[in-house]
Amino acid sequence: MPSKTINPEDWLAALDESGFRVTTVQEILIDIFAHSEYPLSAEQAWDMARQSRPKTGRATVYRTVEKLENLGLIRRVHGYQGCSHFVPTLPELMMLFICLTCGRTDYLDSQPLENLIQHSEDASGHHITESRLQLFGACVDCQQNA
Amino acid sequence: MPSKTINPEDWLAALDESGFRVTTVQEILIDIFAHSEYPLSAEQAWDMARQSRPKTGRATVYRTVEKLENLGLIRRVHGYQGCSHFVPTLPELMMLFICLTCGRTDYLDSQPLENLIQHSEDASGHHITESRLQLFGACVDCQQNA
DNA sequence: TTCAATGCAAATATTTTGCAATTCG
DNA sequence: CGAATTGCAAAATATTTGCATTGAA
């Protein structure tokens, strides 16, 4: 069971290292994404940001989300009708499980996926530079409560 | 190398079996999606449909795409800025490769993925009912032309 | 004949952009 | 101060819906 270590400080450092400014709004948004157990859309993040800072602009949130995605700090995940929701990216390649009942996310051991990708590269001849694996189903808790 | 056998006839049969009518517009759209080598958005499909049938309505295309997705005949794939593009679903579980250079899609042998899912279920305790694996990179041709 | 399917236009929803004001470094 | 960031409003996209008409079974 891989530990989920997401540190907002690291995200701020990443912002800084990339030459961006560390602003209040971005701190708030980083905190929101880094601590969410569920995939969030830009719209949802905007709502949450305004709870602690009412005058936060919608466009700022969309721009920040885009920035965080470009920096590789968050990534899009599939939902039922699109993939406008984001989850934190973890340092290594990870497999993401999303519970269809409660929506909670869980990161699984990714070693099998690395092996699979290696195997697929060899078998197909394609050069694979990025992979997305999302698994859906019922989490341990929701299976028990069913 | 798994063979890509997509038969528009089967899709029409699936429509019929589900109690839907087999109409001209839907035949055209099924043909478009079943034969495309590239992921298509509803908007792109609309453009293509109007080439053979100019008065085709945009809403009809969106409604048909939704229907085909619900029937499991097509599925969303990740693109650069979203996942509003669709590819045909193949009968068995498949791994989809998308070339970042030319956009072509390729279906890879899925046996390794089935093994991986089985392994992940055992290791995590979650019950996995659906999975999406998309691989991105450079296809064999584009590697050579680089 | 009957009701699903369609086209059209309008309504929503979502995301992006222009720009003056603000703020970090 | 100087440039990146922000808020606001407007614009551009994308998707959905209402409704009268059409067409498949």
Side-chain angles (χ1 to χ4, degrees), chain B residues 4 11 18-19 24 27-30 35 37 41 58 66 72 74 78 81 84-85 88 96 100 105 122 125 130 136 139:
Chain B
K4 198 177 169 183
W11 293 25
S18 300
T24 309
E27 271 188 74
I28 290 174
L29 285 169
I30 280 177
H35 291 125
E37 289 284 311
S41 65
R58 171 186 255 140
E66 186 185 14
I74 59 178
H78 267 293
Q81 50 232 338
S84 51
H85 291 234
L96 179 64
L100 294 176
T105 57
D122 295 345
E130 189 184 347
F136 299 87
C139 72

Side-chain angles (χ1 to χ4, degrees), chain B residues 12 15 22-32 49 53 55-57 60-61 64:
Chain B
L12 295 173
L15 259 192
V22 176
T23 65
T24 309
V25 180
Q26 294 188 330
E27 271 188 74
I28 290 174
L29 285 169
I30 280 177
D31 228 57
I32 288 171
R53 191 162 172 286
K55 63 176 173 177
T56 303
T60 302
V61 174
T64 301

